[in-house]
Amino acid sequence: MWDHEIRAMASTHAIIAASVFMATVLPAVTIRGFSVYGTHLLWLYSVSGTVTAVSVAVFWLLGISPPTKKHTLGYKLSRLFRSCVYFFLSCLFFHTVVVLYGAPLIESALETFSLAVLLTSLTTLRCLCVLGPNVQAWIRVFSRHGAMSVWDTCLQITVACTVVGAWVGAFPIPLDWDRPWQVWPVSCSLGAMIGFLTGLVAAPAWIHYHRKQLTYKCK
Amino acid sequence: ALLLLFCSLRMKGLPVLSLLLGLCFFYFVGIYLFVGGFLLVRLEVNRTSSCGDVLQPGEEPVDFCRVQPRFRRAVLLIIDALKIDFARFDPNNTAPRPYENKLPVLEETASSRPSHSRLYPFRADPPTTTMQRIKGFTTGSLPTFVDVGNNFASSAILEDNLIHQFGQVGKRVVFMGDDTWESLFPKKFYRSLPFPSFNVKDLHTVDNGILQHLYTTMTSGDWDVLVAHFLGVDHCGHRFGPDHPAMADKLTQMNGVIRSVIDRLQNDTLLVVMGDHGMTDNGDHGGESQKETDAAIFLYSPAPLFAGPPSQNELDVVPQTDLVPTLALLLGVPIPYSSVGQVLLPLFPPHGQKEGTVEGLSQLEALWINAKQVNRFLETYSGMAKDIPPESLSRLKEEFNRLSSEYLTTVRFGRSPSPELAASLQAYLTSVRDTCRATWARFNPVKMAAGLAILAFACVLCFILSEFSIDLLRETGPGLKVPVIMALTAGGCVAVGQLLTQGYIEVAWSLAAVALTSQLLFLWTASRCRTTAVAKNGTKTQKWARCLTARYLLIPPVVIPLLRCASLLSDSYVIAEGRVVTFLMFSLALYIPIHLNWDGLLLPPIHDPLKSAGLLPSPGLSPSTVRKESSTLLACIGLLVGSLYLSLSFHGCREEQGFCQPSPFLSPLSRLQDSQLKNLHYVLSIFSLGLWTYLLRRCLRHYGNLNSSGGTVFTARWILPLLSMCLGLHWAVSATPEDSFRNLAELISLAQLALPRAAFCLLGLGLVLIWLDPLTVFVKTRAATSTRGSSLSPPRYRASTGISPQAELHHLIPQIYQRMRRSLNDGEMSRVSEVDSRPAVEAYGLGTVYSAPLLLFCGLLGIGLLLLHPEGMALSFLLLLLEMGALLHIQASSTTLSGGFYVPWTPIVMWSFAATQFFHATGHLPTFPSIQWGAAFVGFPDGHTGTILPASLVTLNTFASHILFAVSCPLLLFWPLVCEVRGSRGGRACGEEGEDAVMEMRLRENPKQFSSALLQLSTRYLFIHGAQVFASVCAAAILRRHLMVWKVFAPKLMFEASGFLVSSLSLLIGVTLVLRVDIAVGHWFKRIIPDTSR
């Protein structure tokens, strides 16, 4: 039914996944002493920066963001500004949630905030790209009958996978194995990343297998 | 007719209670059986042997200790986890593993000087953990996990032991090594050099510390008994396992140590090198496999030790207990009182060879002394406890009497003893030890398995009951009796069978039979009920199938309890339990709005043509209501999350958590030095206490429950504030420094005694009053209303003049309720038609008739429990109350948004997790050292005479949060009804309004639904706690060989089981209180009817 869209989605996801891969491998080749555990913050920044840039570029090229009512430059700028503000607010929101979940409040605030940035670039940024800076629409999308296009369903799946991945990533922290990846926030960010990649694969596959059952209201 | 129905409809209280009691009974029996098989209990005999005890027969009384002993000094080298495989040397082994052939010195010495040394396997008794083993080879007894009589607060050995005996005869005992000894024998050593043993990863600190002092001490000569406990081998096993090069290094080091010690020995010295236990192939220990129990013992002396070279009939294994009498007799001290060991005969010369170079006791004398001591211990022990089977006791006694008379005649007539006598004395000692071991030192796997099975069935039953309570409650009338009778018969049969075959009854097995039979019968009845229910209406067949699909099982309210249960199987998670539970609670709290949003219930529906066309179920609530409820929900979730986060700062610390700082609020005020800080803490505590009281009263007043003059209202009005005042004064008094008001010292001590006792009395009085008169309904005839003045508008009725008065009363209640609210709130309400020609009845607080006494009960109980805690915990208790309120309001709002009468899993799961969470947030931990013993002395500063009162005070203190949450559990059912009126006030049609504001009277209208909902709620709550108990029982059963079993899992099991016990009892109290209120409401209606129908 939406073969074309599914194919577009799969290729988009392939590009994003490849960019994540490159963001991990390239610094490892170019920067001395780079490793995912050892210089974790660097990896975090590299990955979140790449994902942000690539997602924005790909979704802008695809042009699935909601149609804007006005085409004036000022309106576009204000939209851009609002998006940036939402991005920052979402970072703060994730930071708060992670601290409430039990992350140290003061000691490793930078690490926690970096994790929040990563989570934001994996989830909120996608919402921004697909739905625009419109919180009402975001809330609407995450309900059973809220998805209005294939991209909305895809958004549901990837965001859920990322968040669950980060949640599951917190499990190994209390264990007494003394592994380098048990250090805060390595396991959580790895979990979020793995969840995100799983979501990238799962979303097109799930939509493909359920394409008969999916019905969307027209926008 | 309607009213008659209304009054005659009583909820089925008895079946609910009996079903709950049955469930609790199953759980208790399961726990009892498992714990009986897992935790072996032994009474400690607090008597000590003295030199006068050991008198030789037929000689003039000589002080045993004055006689020249065979050895003057002894060196005990204890190498922790020295397995027998490590000690053996096989010259033919060309490619030894890292742990093989690393101790050649033992073999060399044994072969070059066979009469001076010998190597034996040394068999430990389970539990093979270091502390229990040290107890074992110093007392000669078989220590169990719980040695009753031992005070939990300190781990010092109170039983008679070798170290004590050495001290008694004036031997200088020098100790160095594992600091466990220092805690077991505080101040018993002449000189002590303990080193920290806690860090398992540290292989060298203890060993190097010993080696720094060992040789200098030996040469200095300032000692008689030298004990050196090396930990390196054990730690190496835990860290790397035996098959690792580090083990080879460690064993080689030990080889060098033994060699140099042998070189420094003098003729009057005995060297014992031994391991306290073995290890598995992974390097762990604690269990009962042969790899863990078989350690090595190596005996050596520069003077000839053995009568000859090893003979064929040499003993092949030395039990660990045998070291105690042997060492005692060789060094010339009395055998410790409760030793059950047997002397090692090869170390003593045979009878008749005494006149050689060797001094000391002959084999037969040693055996006789040994047998006499063991017999004395058995007599004392059997007088104290009944756990040794009586018939084996009498058999042993007969045997001893026979042997003793034979021995005495032999000695008296100077005959040379027959070799059979020695052999039968040995046989006697062996059979004593075997009897004791069978009683104390073995897990009972059959009992454990039976306990597990009963617990598993209980969980299944609980789940079935909670899911199908409606169907099942209908059938339980006659269906209950048959299983109970059958089960009792089965239990009786087992008891009779035991009586016939064994001659005595073991209660545990009869109970197990009762529980298992009735469980199976219940299950069978349940399945039959289901099939009949299915036969009646075929729609329910999908229910079973629906329960098992992945989609049903993967929802968070199922996954999170599963995760919680799984977390009990890992020691790291048990150590971090407080945080784990908070994490899971937080996840569930976030799940609620997300789930509601997913169902599209959180936001008011957007009006679009599709919805009105009927594609979506049209919501029954107006947008403004939805918005209001959603914002309440979100605000409450914010409150919940905030109190969850704040509660983390009240946690205590386990010793395993290295960098943890216990909460500053945990120490009592009197210990704070800084007076400003003290004042701040005091003000904070008083503030939270005041807020607690105020919130409770505010809530009751808001719903109109403070108007009548019954017992409950009296409690709320007077006892509650008085109680909190008592508590505040008590804190002030107990916080005053002792030396500041010298002239008031008497008054202060009097107040310390009187204030808490007064609080206890007030608490008891309040609870009894609530129980006796739980109604908080204020009835007022209309005549009274009119006299009060015209400010109150006349009562309103529904337009129902034509109906019988009974029916009118039925409708009146909601109207009364609304009126009461209006008069309190002064809010405007749409006016319905007013009829004011008839006398009427007004009932204030009828809408919260069930929840008000329960709430007050919990509030009083909370203040009473706070009395037993340190003052700083008042903040934590306030958080508890806020969290309870938040949870209740969340439940109410989500019920309003999504509809439904029964309480779903999510709030119940959170409710029961909150119990565990506040267990930690009130500074408790599932370890024995962290029990707050101070609670036993609140109101009893001079101590107690009995044990029941302090034990129950400590229990109340430890499980305070379990008690509060379990008692208040039925509130989860009531609260949506209490909050109902807010939702209906929106844009409803006027005619529906009265019907909607029934509040808790709705429960009286559908008593069947009420009882099944109550049953479902309590079984679900029981199920979640029961599943946690089951998980910790499984953890203890599966991981019984784990390194941490006695440190983490067994205490966790004890706490979880006792927590369950307390929770279930409190839950029963809560449910019974609800039923009591129900009966009272029934009486109240009966009293009302004649008034109105007249």
Side-chain angles (χ1 to χ4, degrees):
Chain A
M1 203 168 163
W2 304 290
D3 280 347
H4 172 70
E5 271 180 312
I6 292 172
R7 218 167 293 138
M9 185 187 300
S11 42
T12 315
H13 286 185
I15 292 169
I16 295 175
S19 75
V20 169
F21 180 71
M22 294 308 281
T24 313
V25 171
L26 270 186
V29 177
T30 52
I31 302 172
R32 275 166 57 83
F34 178 89
S35 75
V36 175
Y37 308 146
T39 53
H40 186 67
L41 287 187
L42 206 60
W43 177 78
L44 270 185
Y45 297 142
S46 134
V47 167
S48 19
T50 318
V51 168
T52 312
V54 171
S55 314
V56 168
V58 166
F59 283 103
W60 182 65
L61 284 175
L62 272 175
I64 29 172
S65 38
T68 48
K69 289 163 208 151
K70 298 176 218 160
H71 291 278
T72 57
L73 185 67
Y75 183 72
K76 274 184 183 165
L77 275 180
S78 91
R79 259 177 83 88
L80 188 68
F81 177 70
R82 280 221 323 265
S83 299
C84 290
V85 168
Y86 280 3
F87 189 89
F88 182 68
L89 284 181
S90 144
C91 287
L92 284 185
F93 172 75
F94 274 119
H95 188 100
T96 319
V97 168
V98 168
V99 165
L100 285 176
Y101 256 116
L105 181 63
I106 300 160
E107 273 165 45
S108 40
L110 182 65
E111 280 85 350
T112 312
F113 193 73
S114 311
L115 176 68
V117 171
L118 178 76
L119 284 174
T120 306
S121 65
L122 297 184
T123 57
T124 316
L125 187 82
R126 250 177 118 76
C127 293
L128 278 172
C129 289
V130 176
L131 303 169
N134 178 2
V135 180
Q136 288 281 333
W138 297 1
I139 294 173
R140 190 251 312 149
V141 162
F142 291 101
S143 66
R144 185 171 290 150
H145 306 285
M148 290 192 180
S149 73
V150 182
W151 290 102
D152 288 1
T153 313
C154 165
L155 186 70
Q156 286 175 356
I157 293 170
T158 46
V159 168
C161 282
T162 313
V163 172
V164 169
W167 185 69
V168 171
F171 288 8
I173 293 176
L175 291 172
D176 55 355
W177 297 344
D178 277 349
R179 297 295 152 88
W181 47 266
Q182 280 180 296
V183 180
W184 175 253
V186 180
S187 59
C188 276
S189 48
L190 283 184
M193 204 63 234
I194 292 167
F196 179 66
L197 292 177
T198 317
L200 289 186
V201 177
W206 193 86
I207 292 169
H208 181 73
Y209 284 112
H210 290 80
R211 60 188 184 279
K212 295 272 157 49
Q213 289 95 333
L214 284 175
T215 49
Y216 293 116
K217 289 167 264 176
C218 42
K219 277 184 190 173
Chain B
L2 232 147
L3 184 67
L4 281 181
L5 195 78
F6 195 54
C7 294
S8 63
L9 277 181
R10 274 279 202 73
M11 62 177 290
K12 286 183 183 176
L14 217 55
V16 173
L17 263 189
S18 54
L19 274 174
L20 283 180
L21 268 176
L23 275 178
C24 293
F25 168 74
F26 295 151
Y27 276 113
F28 295 165
V29 170
I31 291 169
Y32 175 62
L33 268 178
F34 183 86
V35 168
F38 178 71
L39 297 179
L40 307 141
V41 177
R42 182 179 65 102
L43 288 182
E44 276 184 5
V45 178
N46 285 333
R47 295 206 197 166
T48 51
S49 306
S50 65
C51 293
D53 297 341
V54 200
L55 293 180
Q56 303 271 345
E59 295 172 20
E60 72 279 11
V62 189
D63 193 346
F64 175 77
C65 309
R66 295 281 169 76
V67 178
Q68 179 70 28
R70 179 131 165 241
F71 291 99
R72 205 167 59 77
R73 307 202 288 183
V75 177
L76 259 82
L77 292 188
I78 297 145
I79 301 177
D80 211 294
L82 180 71
K83 206 175 168 182
I84 182 66
D85 300 357
F86 300 173
R88 286 205 176 104
F89 187 84
D90 181 9
N92 303 325
N93 190 348
T94 49
R97 318 292 302 256
Y99 58 88
E100 281 173 338
N101 287 0
K102 291 297 179 297
L103 295 171
V105 62
L106 304 181
E107 172 66 23
E108 276 168 25
T109 322
S111 55
S112 65
R113 312 182 73 179
S115 62
H116 292 257
S117 60
R118 200 86 28 108
L119 174 70
Y120 297 111
F122 192 38
R123 183 158 293 162
D125 303 292
T128 48
T129 49
T130 298
M131 191 170 94
Q132 260 77 15
R133 287 304 96 224
I134 295 174
K135 274 190 178 179
F137 62 72
T138 53
T139 61
S141 184
L142 304 163
T144 53
F145 175 60
V146 185
D147 285 343
V148 176
N150 177 356
N151 54 341
F152 276 120
S154 93
S155 49
I157 297 184
L158 300 175
E159 267 187 314
D160 194 8
N161 58 66
L162 269 183
I163 308 294
H164 175 76
Q165 290 295 345
F166 288 146
Q168 287 293 301
V169 299
K171 286 193 185 294
R172 292 161 294 174
V173 185
V174 176
F175 166 74
M176 49 188 76
D178 184 350
D179 58 1
T180 314
W181 285 74
E182 191 55 40
S183 63
L184 288 178
F185 305 102
K187 302 199 182 98
K188 293 266 181 175
F189 297 115
Y190 174 70
R191 210 149 74 83
S192 163
L193 300 161
F195 299 99
S197 64
F198 180 67
N199 187 0
V200 178
K201 298 207 167 86
D202 177 5
L203 304 188
H204 300 295
T205 306
V206 176
D207 293 5
N208 292 345
I210 297 172
L211 290 181
Q212 261 184 7
H213 301 99
L214 179 63
Y215 305 132
T216 51
T217 311
M218 275 190 77
T219 46
S220 78
D222 192 18
W223 57 278
D224 292 309
V225 177
L226 198 154
V227 181
H229 192 137
F230 293 92
L231 272 183
V233 175
D234 181 51
H235 283 186
C236 186
H238 285 309
R239 189 165 175 197
F240 301 114
D243 212 356
H244 191 276
M247 185 61 93
D249 297 345
K250 206 72 224 181
L251 287 173
T252 311
Q253 183 194 17
M254 289 300 120
N255 188 51
V257 172
I258 298 168
R259 204 179 285 276
S260 358
V261 168
I262 286 179
D263 290 344
R264 285 173 172 78
L265 285 182
Q266 290 167 355
N267 262 349
D268 58 351
T269 313
L270 172 72
L271 169 69
V272 181
V273 179
M274 63 184 210
D276 55 349
H277 50 73
M279 61 169 75
T280 62
D281 294 338
N282 301 323
D284 292 331
H285 56 87
E288 48 185 334
S289 71
Q290 205 182 349
K291 283 182 172 151
E292 291 158 281
T293 55
D294 275 13
I297 185 167
F298 174 78
L299 298 158
Y300 171 81
S301 168
L305 187 60
F306 294 90
S311 52
Q312 287 302 315
N313 54 0
E314 187 75 21
L315 23 126
D316 46 353
V317 168
V318 175
Q320 209 173 52
T321 47
D322 291 3
L323 183 69
V324 174
T326 312
L327 270 184
L329 293 187
L330 285 178
L331 289 165
V333 297
I335 304 175
Y337 196 94
S338 32
S339 157
V340 291
Q342 172 185 354
V343 287
L344 290 174
L345 277 195
L347 286 160
F348 295 87
H351 200 79
Q353 285 182 15
K354 200 177 170 184
E355 303 83 25
T357 50
V358 189
E359 310 152 0
L361 303 158
S362 75
Q363 286 187 352
L364 199 61
E365 284 166 339
L367 273 176
W368 163 247
I369 294 171
N370 194 191
K372 229 175 106 182
Q373 168 264 328
V374 165
N375 178 58
R376 184 185 55 174
F377 166 69
L378 262 191
E379 276 178 2
T380 316
Y381 189 82
S382 59
M384 286 166 62
K386 299 276 170 268
D387 49 357
I388 301 178
E391 76 276 15
S392 52
L393 260 181
S394 60
R395 193 169 41 75
L396 285 171
K397 196 164 182 153
E398 263 170 43
E399 176 74 6
F400 177 77
N401 289 338
R402 192 179 63 76
L403 289 172
S404 91
S405 60
E406 192 177 329
Y407 176 80
L408 289 178
T409 47
T410 312
V411 170
R412 197 164 300 142
F413 299 111
R415 267 187 265 157
S416 83
S418 61
E420 289 84 45
L421 183 58
S424 39
L425 274 171
Q426 267 184 298
Y428 166 74
L429 288 169
T430 311
S431 61
V432 169
R433 190 182 56 221
D434 289 345
T435 313
C436 291
R437 181 173 297 156
T439 322
W440 300 329
R442 224 166 264 159
F443 289 129
N444 190 338
V446 187
K447 261 191 182 175
M448 283 162 71
L452 266 176
I454 291 176
L455 275 177
F457 276 126
C459 285
V460 171
L461 254 183
C462 213
F463 186 77
I464 289 177
L465 263 180
S466 70
E467 287 302 289
F468 308 110
S469 61
I470 316 152
D471 299 342
L472 291 177
L473 208 59
R474 208 176 296 146
E475 314 283 335
T476 41
L480 254 173
K481 281 173 200 148
V482 181
V484 169
I485 292 166
M486 296 270 281
L488 286 180
T489 331
C493 285
V494 169
V496 169
Q498 275 182 340
L499 205 59
L500 288 180
T501 52
Q502 300 171 334
Y504 62 97
I505 300 175
E506 206 173 342
V507 186
W509 287 116
S510 321
L511 281 176
V514 173
L516 265 180
T517 329
S518 47
Q519 279 179 336
L520 293 176
L521 282 169
F522 268 131
L523 280 177
W524 183 67
T525 322
S527 67
R528 214 189 42 188
C529 279
R530 287 225 23 88
T531 45
T532 51
V534 164
K536 274 180 203 158
N537 45 349
T539 51
K540 281 180 187 163
T541 31
Q542 302 138 359
K543 250 188 177 175
W544 284 109
R546 204 196 64 193
C547 289
L548 298 174
T549 55
R551 184 164 293 186
Y552 187 77
L553 286 179
L554 273 180
I555 53 170
V558 178
V559 170
I560 284 183
L562 274 181
L563 280 177
R564 161 90 183 114
C565 291
S567 79
L568 291 172
L569 290 164
S570 153
D571 59 325
S572 308
Y573 288 125
V574 175
I575 287 169
E577 194 191 24
R579 299 198 79 117
V580 169
V581 173
T582 316
F583 180 92
L584 294 178
M585 283 272 292
F586 189 71
S587 306
L588 267 183
L590 287 191
Y591 165 74
I592 291 174
I594 291 174
H595 179 72
L596 279 175
N597 185 44
W598 178 253
D599 285 341
L601 297 166
L602 195 61
L603 288 183
I606 309 148
H607 283 287
D608 56 0
L610 271 172
K611 278 204 183 110
S612 46
L615 265 179
L616 292 171
S618 68
L621 296 170
S622 66
S624 64
T625 318
V626 170
R627 215 164 282 138
K628 204 171 158 205
E629 287 296 328
S630 305
S631 48
T632 320
L633 181 82
L634 290 180
C636 285
I637 282 175
L639 183 64
L640 173 67
V641 165
S643 42
L644 277 175
Y645 187 71
L646 288 180
S647 78
L648 281 178
S649 54
F650 295 97
H651 282 210
C653 285
R654 289 177 74 114
E655 58 171 318
E656 288 91 349
Q657 295 170 312
F659 299 103
C660 171
Q661 276 289 328
S663 161
F665 294 101
L666 272 171
S667 59
L669 274 186
S670 48
R671 263 188 233 157
L672 284 182
Q673 295 302 323
D674 187 357
S675 66
Q676 236 175 350
L677 197 66
K678 200 183 224 174
N679 287 343
L680 181 72
H681 274 217
Y682 182 70
V683 168
L684 273 178
S685 304
I686 288 291
F687 167 73
S688 23
L689 180 65
L691 200 60
W692 169 286
T693 318
Y694 170 74
L695 282 176
L696 270 178
R697 284 195 51 147
R698 174 73 213 277
C699 182
L700 291 176
R701 184 186 301 278
H702 178 74
Y703 290 110
N705 292 111
L706 287 186
N707 292 320
S708 74
S709 54
T712 306
V713 179
F714 177 76
T715 311
R717 274 204 193 134
W718 298 108
I719 294 185
L720 187 67
L722 259 180
L723 187 61
S724 41
M725 248 168 66
C726 262
L727 189 51
L729 282 177
H730 167 64
W731 286 342
V733 168
S734 61
T736 38
E738 277 175 16
D739 45 351
S740 57
F741 301 103
R742 274 188 197 288
N743 39 358
L744 291 178
E746 263 181 41
L747 190 69
I748 287 176
S749 64
L750 182 72
Q752 265 178 346
L753 197 72
L755 280 172
R757 289 192 182 180
F760 285 138
C761 291
L762 280 175
L763 176 68
L765 181 69
L767 296 185
V768 167
L769 276 179
I770 294 178
W771 189 264
L772 290 179
D773 185 13
L775 280 192
T776 50
V777 183
F778 179 46
V779 189
K780 199 161 69 169
T781 53
R782 204 191 139 226
T785 325
S786 45
T787 53
R788 257 179 74 178
S790 55
S791 63
L792 291 174
S793 57
R796 296 171 298 118
Y797 288 97
R798 273 183 112 180
S800 58
T801 30
I803 324 174
S804 66
Q806 280 95 345
E808 233 180 76
L809 179 68
H810 172 49
H811 291 296
L812 182 69
I813 296 143
Q815 298 293 77
I816 287 165
Y817 175 74
Q818 279 179 357
R819 190 183 137 62
M820 181 268 303
R821 272 192 66 88
R822 195 179 34 166
S823 62
L824 283 176
N825 289 354
D826 285 329
E828 319 98 324
M829 283 174 62
S830 55
R831 299 225 161 176
V832 207
S833 61
E834 289 182 11
V835 184
D836 60 83
S837 56
R838 295 165 60 105
V841 178
E842 282 183 70
Y844 286 73
L846 191 56
T848 50
V849 68
Y850 290 103
S851 52
L854 198 58
L855 196 67
L856 191 61
F857 195 86
C858 294
L860 276 183
L861 210 57
I863 293 182
L865 293 172
L866 181 54
L867 176 64
L868 301 175
H869 280 78
E871 293 87 346
M873 284 301 111
L875 285 170
S876 170
F877 270 72
L878 180 68
L879 283 182
L880 185 147
L881 188 72
L882 291 178
E883 190 172 316
M884 246 183 199
L887 274 171
L888 286 174
H889 275 288
I890 289 170
Q891 152 68 0
S893 303
S894 57
T895 309
T896 316
L897 287 173
S898 59
F901 181 71
Y902 294 93
V903 187
W905 277 105
T906 318
I908 303 176
V909 170
M910 293 182 80
W911 201 257
S912 60
F913 279 11
T916 316
Q917 182 222 337
F918 273 103
F919 172 77
H920 287 270
T922 44
H924 298 288
L925 292 167
T927 57
F928 291 116
S930 69
I931 293 177
Q932 298 175 355
W933 297 104
F937 300 104
V938 174
F940 302 90
D942 306 324
H944 299 264
T945 46
T947 50
I948 297 171
L949 190 62
S952 49
L953 284 178
V954 169
T955 312
L956 285 177
N957 162 286
T958 307
F959 298 108
S961 72
H962 286 86
I963 293 171
L964 283 178
F965 277 97
V967 169
S968 59
C969 191
L971 283 180
L972 276 175
L973 177 64
F974 301 140
W975 215 257
L977 302 170
V978 170
C979 297
E980 180 180 49
V981 78
R982 266 185 298 154
S984 71
R985 239 206 249 163
R988 281 298 175 88
C990 295
E992 283 172 18
E993 198 165 347
E995 200 189 337
D996 228 35
V998 186
M999 290 176 70
E1000 285 173 9
M1001 280 304 104
R1002 176 166 292 186
L1003 295 171
R1004 271 204 79 76
E1005 286 170 11
N1006 316 317
K1008 262 191 185 159
Q1009 233 184 355
F1010 181 21
S1011 48
S1012 65
L1014 196 62
L1015 180 66
Q1016 189 187 41
L1017 176 70
S1018 359
T1019 43
R1020 282 182 171 181
Y1021 190 78
L1022 272 186
F1023 173 75
I1024 291 165
H1025 274 289
Q1028 287 175 33
V1029 173
F1030 182 66
S1032 55
V1033 162
C1034 282
I1038 297 167
L1039 302 168
R1040 60 184 185 278
R1041 273 151 214 217
H1042 193 273
L1043 164 68
M1044 288 292 182
V1045 70
W1046 302 111
K1047 253 193 150 155
V1048 174
F1049 295 112
K1052 177 67 201 152
L1053 167 67
M1054 300 284 279
F1055 274 83
E1056 197 68 54
S1058 344
F1060 178 81
L1061 209 86
V1062 173
S1063 299
S1064 54
L1065 291 180
S1066 322
L1067 184 71
L1068 283 175
I1069 291 175
V1071 171
T1072 321
L1073 183 63
V1074 171
L1075 298 178
R1076 168 81 188 88
V1077 177
D1078 191 60
I1079 291 169
V1081 173
H1083 285 305
W1084 184 78
F1085 272 113
K1086 282 216 181 96
R1087 246 196 2 249
I1088 285 288
I1089 305 161
D1091 289 355
T1092 47
S1093 43
R1094 242 174 257 140

